[in-house]
Amino acid sequence: MTDTPTIKRRLIAMVYETFLLLAVEMLAVALYLLITLNHHAPVFQYGLKVWLFVVTGAYFVWGWTNSGHTLAMKTWRMQVVTADHARLPLTTAIVRYLLAWGWFLPALLACTALGLKDKGQVGAAIALGVIGWSLTAFLDRDRRFLHDRLAGTRIVVLPKKRPAPATAPAEAA
């Protein structure tokens, strides 16, 4: 259980994770709108952003601390562990979640600073940020992304489950 998955495999799992997370966040938005009676005042708009940040964090932190993986990671047979291959403690999982915002936050801050609002420009900035963060794995001898290096975590490949051997049917007497 010590092999590091390829960068390609981890990025594909992240794309799958995005679709799963989208479903979780749609439910969270529906709940928020129901509770706030769909108010559109700026305080409620900021509140929605904070709510989604918390829900997203809870999704990842819960998965990482309970089983060591999210559904997408489980599907791709990957698990996040500490440097000594132990399950993540709560504080480490929270730190990893916050550091993982490095995939997007620099691009979002740059868009804000430059006043970019066009969806194409924002999308291009985020794509550049993701590519840049992905390249940080090439700076680490174990091919860990920067947030894993800083959090003291790593992604490992889980072994394939082997099917149970077939048993012969019992003969009728």
Side-chain angles (χ1 to χ4, degrees):
M1 183 170 93
T2 60
D3 292 335
T4 302
T6 64
I7 294 170
K8 179 181 174 182
R9 182 177 181 163
R10 286 179 279 163
L11 291 174
I12 290 171
M14 286 174 56
V15 170
Y16 182 44
E17 192 77 72
T18 301
F19 290 113
L20 297 173
L21 187 58
L22 183 62
V24 170
E25 291 192 349
M26 285 174 44
L27 182 60
V29 167
L31 181 62
Y32 184 83
L33 294 176
L34 184 67
I35 291 171
T36 63
L37 302 175
N38 198 16
H39 285 285
H40 294 283
V43 69
F44 290 101
Q45 297 303 311
Y46 288 114
L48 177 60
K49 292 174 185 175
V50 170
W51 171 245
L52 288 175
F53 178 80
V54 170
V55 167
T56 302
Y59 169 80
F60 284 112
V61 168
W62 181 82
W64 297 336
T65 57
N66 284 314
S67 62
H69 48 70
T70 60
L71 182 57
M73 293 173 74
K74 182 178 181 179
T75 302
W76 284 88
R77 296 186 350 266
M78 295 185 291
Q79 185 176 34
V80 63
V81 295
T82 63
D84 58 353
H85 298 276
R87 185 158 295 157
L88 265 61
L90 180 62
T91 53
T92 303
I94 292 170
V95 167
R96 185 177 193 267
Y97 170 69
L98 294 173
L99 290 171
W101 274 92
W103 287 94
F104 311 103
L105 192 58
L108 294 174
L109 292 174
C111 288
T112 301
L114 298 173
L116 302 179
K117 295 188 180 189
D118 177 66
K119 289 181 182 177
Q121 293 173 329
V122 172
I126 290 173
L128 283 173
V130 168
I131 290 168
W133 199 266
S134 298
L135 294 175
T136 64
F138 293 104
L139 302 175
D140 186 81
R141 63 181 159 81
D142 296 324
R143 296 293 188 238
R144 292 183 294 174
F145 292 123
L146 184 58
H147 65 283
D148 279 318
R149 179 120 174 104
L150 295 173
T153 59
R154 65 183 330 109
I155 304 288
V156 295
V157 175
L158 295 173
K160 286 185 179 181
K161 289 187 178 179
R162 297 197 172 136
T167 57
E171 293 184 28

